[in-house]
Amino acid sequence: MRESALLIPVPEAEPAVRDLRRLHDPAAALGIPAHVTILYPFLPEVDGTDQAELDHLFGSVEPFGFRLTRTDRFPGVIYLAVEPAAPFRRLTAAVATLWPQAPPYRGDHSEVVPHLTVVETTDEQVRAEAERVLGAHLPITAEAKEVWLVAGDEHGWERTSRFPFGRRRPLRTAPRG
């Protein structure tokens, strides 16, 4: 089944995470770059009206800096923590407000934790080695400049649109049906 997601690419992290992600993150093998997720899953089909709303929403956001400061864990996942997390949470909340039918992570988590996934495994040796390798590269300074709409399935994902930040238009606040 085809899905979509909204993400902020983090090319500044690629040198530190590329090899680990290639080996231990299924999303990397499907074509997803190093990123911080804004909303997954998004809509199965994104029409022209949705694209215009996304362009309007993200065009009103100024680019902002952030840092990947430390490794942390979810069950089965090693990730890089994002600081500050608040701008990412605000973007997720804004999208979820406009498209209430697409709650973050299908509503499975009560809190959105902005992060950059690097390794998915329960192998403790792999997890410990990943933390050691990543620690040598931290902190990583980055800039959020745009959001990508990506779409795909178990065979691969691709960027279908990009929404640059910094057009200074006001946000729309009414939910989309």
Side-chain angles (χ1 to χ4, degrees):
M1 180 171 103
R2 192 159 170 86
E3 295 184 295
S4 69
L6 296 167
L7 57 87
I8 292 179
V10 186
E12 299 91 340
E14 286 291 351
V17 303
R18 182 180 298 115
D19 292 342
L20 286 167
R21 289 189 71 240
R22 185 174 39 82
L23 293 171
H24 303 291
D25 182 359
L30 294 173
I32 303 289
H35 68 280
V36 177
T37 300
I38 296 302
L39 191 70
Y40 171 81
F42 189 45
L43 305 174
E45 296 294 328
V46 179
D47 64 24
T49 301
D50 296 320
Q51 293 238 1
E53 289 290 331
L54 290 167
D55 189 52
H56 187 75
L57 170 67
F58 296 127
S60 70
V61 175
E62 288 299 316
F64 60 91
F66 64 98
R67 291 172 29 137
L68 303 167
T69 57
R70 62 183 162 74
T71 61
D72 209 336
R73 295 179 175 207
F74 295 132
V77 173
I78 299 293
Y79 68 87
L80 297 177
V82 175
E83 293 181 11
F88 295 93
R89 285 190 181 110
R90 282 192 296 271
L91 288 171
T92 298
V95 175
T97 297
L98 289 171
W99 288 274
Q101 71 273 34
Y105 303 101
R106 295 184 177 88
D108 292 342
H109 305 286
S110 60
E111 179 184 4
V112 172
V113 178
H115 64 281
L116 191 153
T117 297
V118 181
V119 171
E120 290 189 28
T121 185
T122 57
D123 183 320
E124 189 53 40
Q125 281 187 307
V126 171
R127 291 162 62 94
E129 178 65 9
E131 289 174 321
R132 185 191 68 72
V133 168
L134 291 167
H137 295 280
L138 299 176
I140 298 169
T141 300
E143 185 177 15
K145 301 177 204 172
E146 63 185 358
V147 171
W148 288 7
L149 172 65
V150 296
D153 57 24
E154 68 275 5
H155 303 293
W157 286 66
E158 63 185 356
R159 181 183 76 193
T160 60
S161 298
R162 57 185 285 275
F163 305 100
F165 290 164
R167 294 197 187 104
R168 296 181 186 255
R169 291 183 276 186
L171 292 175
R172 181 177 177 270
T173 57
R176 293 252 313 135

